[in-house]
Amino acid sequence: MKISLLPVTSTPQPYSRVTQHPAELLRIFDTGTQVVRWQRCTNLVITTYLQQVTTSGLLISGFRTCLKANQQLDPIHLPDGPGRSALADDIHQLSVLYHDLLGCPMVGLRLEVLHNAMCPRFHVDRTGIRMTCTYLGPGTEWIDDVQVDRTRLGAGANGLPDTQSGLFTTDETSIEAASCFDVVLLKGTLWQGNTAQGAIHRSPATTPSDNPRILLVIDALWD
């Protein structure tokens, strides 16, 4: 998948953006923008496949791998069944899109099968720009930093939950969330000029009765 170049501005832009078009993912490079969400339609073939392989126990722990630019994902990483090739193709398309955005020689790719929230507290990643896509279950959640006190993230919370640490500076703090199949770009503190910023996000809450959450994460590899 190729995306057309858009002008990148150094003028501070909105903290987060929502778009219907993959070309708008380039807005993650704008100064001040920390989250870009590309809304996509659910692929029922992939959804059905993941429900079947998780229920049957064929997909338990996911996988981790590295891909070069335009390298196809080997379907061997996924259990056999109707829909496996559709998921492999979608992961490949997203990795190519990410390659095109970042210009990195390789990507680190992981598919997580989660029964509990991986990162339940709001936090900022020490990464450059990360791509995520939830294929099954609730999507990643984030909040605008104008509604929080960043000093209360991590150790600054003094062990208190987010609702008691003083993180939220208003009673009306709104939590945004991605839907299944949405592609989300999260800018971290290691991105140039972004040391004191970064997308404030967390994993969604789950219950024991929920089906596993299937999450794809892609990061740039430079060496």
Side-chain angles (χ1 to χ4, degrees):
M1 180 187 296
K2 293 291 184 180
I3 57 177
S4 301
L5 292 178
L6 293 174
V8 175
T9 175
S10 60
T11 304
Q13 298 294 304
Y15 177 88
S16 64
R17 294 174 179 269
V18 179
T19 180
Q20 309 290 330
H21 306 289
E24 288 290 331
L25 290 173
L26 283 167
R27 296 275 70 98
I28 193 64
F29 299 124
D30 289 344
T31 300
T33 296
Q34 307 295 327
V35 183
V36 179
R37 172 191 178 191
W38 169 29
Q39 292 180 309
R40 301 198 300 164
C41 295
T42 299
N43 185 318
L44 293 179
V45 173
I46 294 176
T47 300
T48 301
Y49 164 75
L50 287 173
Q51 289 173 337
Q52 291 176 342
V53 295
T54 53
T55 300
S56 64
L58 294 175
L59 183 65
I60 299 175
S61 59
F63 65 86
R64 299 186 178 211
T65 190
C66 299
L67 296 177
K68 297 179 181 179
N70 297 315
Q71 181 181 353
Q72 183 72 43
L73 175 71
D74 191 336
I76 197 173
H77 290 292
L78 299 166
D80 193 14
R84 178 173 74 167
S85 60
L87 177 57
D89 288 345
D90 193 68
I91 292 174
H92 169 67
Q93 291 175 14
L94 293 183
S95 69
V96 170
L97 177 60
Y98 186 81
H99 272 297
D100 291 342
L101 278 169
L102 273 295
C104 52
M106 296 188 68
V107 300
L109 185 152
R110 53 189 169 95
L111 190 73
E112 303 278 5
V113 181
L114 304 169
H115 294 271
N116 300 291
M118 183 168 56
C119 301
R121 301 284 297 275
F122 278 110
H123 65 284
V124 175
D125 290 333
R126 293 192 72 255
T127 57
I129 292 176
R130 171 169 287 171
M131 175 182 282
T132 70
C133 177
T134 301
Y135 284 112
L136 201 63
T140 300
E141 300 175 345
W142 65 91
I143 49 178
D144 194 316
D145 61 358
V146 300
Q147 301 174 327
V148 300
D149 178 357
R150 282 183 176 267
T151 66
R152 300 299 182 176
L153 292 170
N158 296 316
L160 296 173
D162 290 337
T163 53
Q164 300 176 21
S165 67
L167 174 65
F168 304 126
T169 58
T170 171
D171 293 335
E172 298 179 355
T173 299
S174 58
I175 299 174
E176 299 183 70
S179 300
C180 276
F181 286 86
D182 286 353
V183 173
V184 179
L185 293 178
L186 303 166
K187 190 182 290 181
T189 58
L190 296 186
W191 187 254
Q192 54 264 37
N194 213 50
T195 303
Q197 300 183 72
I200 303 172
H201 65 286
R202 71 180 180 186
S203 301
T206 59
T207 65
S209 61
D210 288 340
N211 290 322
R213 179 178 179 235
I214 310 297
L215 174 69
L216 175 71
V217 180
I218 303 179
D219 288 299
L221 299 177
W222 299 101
D223 297 319

